[in-house]
């Protein structure tokens, strides 16, 4: 079997694949057009979020049997077209879920304790204590929206923080555990102090978080999005922040990452958000740790092994 790897991966991927008898072409700098021209020679494709594997790409993938997503999100793969062509799609959410959970907690602690703002001030010889008084997670109700791999990892890690963790998931009972209490969205809106989004990007979740959604919270909330930027209508989040409906936000993802092809309205919204000390940003690195870099490969190769075994049965 031959695999094309089109995204940057930890070098451990090559010997792991070789152990399975897979010959891999590692081409991290290849673009969509170049990959599409080559893909007919490969049975497997390993990708992260680099480009959209659309129906046209799959049409050119005449030998393709497996798409392995090194990470969690499958929103950049046309899953319907893949199924139609009998191409199996796998991912490795076990590889980066703990990284995401730690990052979310790190951002929240930094935001609620004004760490970034205070750090900037001290470096400018400004010594303000009252303006930098923090708030504790202890005793707060943390709502996790989407209780899959990253949501559950977050709940588990929060169990040491003496907070109350509630969760909402449309397939909830499948994941019930001791770290979070299942609730309805009505209960989330009524009870949450902190809200963290852990949903995949799907037609149902795209632009789910609007001003109307945010306005339904009974108390001002801290809002965290480490899932996908497209789930949140950014100008609505801005309005909610301006009105104090949202007290602060941690954003690891944006709908316009790398700031490519920005519309004037998007730039304006971002400029205003950038001017707010109660908003923290990171450049889509929540799942991007030294450890997850390696662990994703191990999880993915384990699933590739199972795929090959099933094919041979
Ligand atoms: N910032 C980063 O570095 C990373 C971001 N992600 C993003 O986070 C997303 C979530 O990751 P995982 O927890 O690994 O995914 P997952 O698939 O394990 O969990 C998602 C959960 O959301 C639930 N869900 C789906 N649609 C829903 C809806 N409309 N309403 C309520 N619940 C719904 C599912 O039932 C599932 O339990 C990924 O799809 C990816 O986009 C994931 C890993 C790293
Ligand atoms: O696993 C995921 O879904 C992620 O968002 C991780 O980031 P990546 O897209 O692999 O750069």
């Amino acid at each position: 079997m031959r695999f094309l790897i089109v995204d940057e991966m930890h070098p451990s991927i090559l010997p792991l694949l070789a152990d399975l008898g897979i010959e891999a072409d590692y081409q991290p700098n290849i673009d969509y057009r170049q990959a599409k021209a080559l893909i007919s020679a490969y049975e497997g494709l390993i990708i992260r979020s680099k480009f959209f594997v659309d129906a046209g790409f799959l049409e050119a993938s005449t030998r393709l049997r497996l798409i392995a997503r090194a990470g969690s999100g499958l929103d950049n793969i046309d899953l319907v077209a893949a199924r139609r062509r009998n191409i199996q799609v796998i991912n490795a959410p076990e590889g980066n879920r703990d990284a995401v959970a730690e990052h979310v907690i790190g951002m929240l602690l930094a935001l609620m304790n004004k760490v970034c703002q205070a750090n900037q001030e001290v470096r400018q010889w400004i010594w303000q204590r009252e303006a930098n008084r923090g708030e504790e997670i202890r005793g707060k109700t943390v709502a996790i929206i989407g209780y899959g791999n990253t949501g559950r990892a977050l709940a588990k890690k929060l169990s040491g923080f003496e907070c109350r963790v509630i969760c909402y998931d449309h397939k909830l009972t499948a994941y019930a555990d001791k770290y979070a209490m299942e609730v309805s969205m009505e209960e989330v809106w009524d009870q949450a102090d902190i809200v963290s989004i852990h949903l995949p990007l799907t037609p149902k979740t795209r632009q789910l978080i609007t001003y109307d959604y945010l306005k339904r919270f009974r108390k001002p909330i801290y809002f965290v999005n480490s899932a996908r930027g497209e789930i949140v209508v950014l100008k609505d989040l801005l309005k909610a922040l301006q009105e104090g409906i949202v007290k602060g936000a941690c954003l690891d993802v944006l709908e316009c990452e790398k700031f490519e092809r920005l519309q004037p309205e998007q730039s304006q919204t971002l400029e205003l958000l950038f001017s707010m000390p109660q908003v923290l940003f990171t450049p889509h690195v929540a799942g991007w740790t030294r450890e997850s870099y390696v662990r994703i490969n191990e999880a993915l190769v384990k699933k590739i092994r199972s795929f090959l075994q099933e094919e041979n049965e």
Side-chain angles (χ1 to χ4, degrees):
M1 237 179 147
R2 287 186 72 201
F3 273 49
L4 180 63
I5 305 176
V6 294
D7 220 324
E8 204 260 325
M9 307 275 294
H10 186 275
S12 64
I13 193 71
L14 295 174
L16 285 170
L17 290 172
D19 282 350
L20 299 181
I22 292 170
E23 194 188 312
D25 280 345
Y26 182 57
Q27 304 223 28
N29 300 318
I30 200 168
D31 64 18
Y32 171 89
R33 200 182 42 79
Q34 293 163 325
K36 191 175 169 187
L38 294 180
I39 194 66
S40 64
Y42 297 90
E43 285 84 21
L45 171 71
I46 299 187
I47 189 163
R48 290 202 343 247
S49 57
K50 183 165 193 171
F51 52 69
F52 195 82
V53 180
D54 58 14
F57 189 95
L58 293 172
E59 205 149 302
S61 308
T62 45
R63 297 168 75 97
L64 201 62
R65 306 204 309 261
L66 180 70
I67 301 174
R69 200 299 192 197
S72 176
L74 297 173
D75 46 290
N76 62 320
I77 300 167
D78 185 335
L79 297 173
V80 176
R83 204 172 307 126
R84 211 179 299 127
R85 302 190 74 86
N86 214 14
I87 297 169
Q88 190 159 333
V89 178
I90 57 173
N91 63 350
E94 315 86 325
N96 58 10
R97 65 187 173 203
D98 290 292
V100 172
E102 286 197 20
H103 193 89
V104 166
I105 292 174
M107 283 190 101
L108 259 177
L109 291 176
L111 178 74
M112 293 172 71
N113 292 289
K114 304 198 170 87
V115 171
C116 301
Q117 180 183 316
N119 175 55
Q120 287 303 327
E121 287 174 5
V122 172
R123 286 158 191 263
Q124 291 163 29
W125 304 92
I126 299 168
W127 194 267
Q128 300 204 82
R129 294 182 73 204
E130 188 50 39
N132 289 306
R133 194 185 283 276
E135 228 183 306
E136 295 170 25
I137 289 183
R138 180 175 187 269
K140 301 286 188 303
T141 297
V142 183
I144 299 178
I145 312 297
Y147 203 57
N149 281 277
T150 57
R152 280 178 282 161
L154 175 61
K156 190 173 176 186
K157 290 182 202 311
L158 282 174
S159 64
F161 281 85
E162 299 176 65
C163 52
R164 192 170 156 257
V165 183
I166 57 177
C167 64
Y168 172 76
D169 191 299
H170 67 171
K171 289 190 193 154
L172 212 50
T173 44
Y175 300 126
D177 64 22
K178 62 178 179 184
Y179 299 111
M181 192 172 84
E182 308 172 12
V183 294
S184 65
M185 262 321 287
E186 297 303 327
E187 289 168 296
V188 168
W189 279 313
D190 188 50
Q191 296 170 16
D193 299 295
I194 297 166
V195 178
S196 193
I197 305 299
H198 295 272
L199 298 165
L201 176 63
T202 67
K204 276 207 180 125
T205 64
R206 185 179 291 275
Q207 304 210 321
L208 175 76
I209 314 289
T210 58
Y211 178 73
D212 287 343
Y213 181 106
L214 294 168
K215 215 174 55 180
R216 293 182 75 166
F217 285 97
R218 192 170 55 79
K219 298 177 265 181
I221 54 158
Y222 286 107
F223 177 80
V224 186
N225 186 14
S226 63
R228 282 293 177 270
E230 294 90 335
I231 295 171
V232 179
V233 179
L234 213 52
K235 69 173 177 25
D236 287 10
L237 175 63
L238 171 66
K239 189 172 172 211
L241 280 155
Q242 286 166 331
E243 294 180 6
I245 293 170
V246 173
K247 287 200 277 195
C250 302
L251 303 176
D252 180 55
V253 287
L254 290 171
E255 65 181 344
C256 42
E257 295 194 357
K258 303 178 204 148
F259 310 122
E260 284 164 352
R261 295 183 290 279
L262 280 180
Q263 300 298 316
E265 196 198 14
Q266 286 177 310
S267 310
Q268 214 179 355
T269 302
L270 282 174
E271 290 286 359
L272 288 166
L273 287 169
F274 291 163
S275 71
M276 294 179 144
Q278 73 272 38
V279 187
L280 294 190
F281 297 92
T282 46
H284 198 151
V285 290
W288 189 254
T289 59
R290 289 172 197 272
E291 291 81 1
S292 72
Y293 201 26
V294 177
R295 211 177 296 130
I296 282 174
N297 287 354
E298 291 162 357
L300 201 66
V301 168
K302 213 166 149 188
K303 290 183 187 171
I304 296 173
R305 183 193 298 275
S306 302
F307 168 81
L308 295 177
Q309 277 166 352
E310 277 166 31
E311 265 204 332
N312 289 332
E313 272 166 18

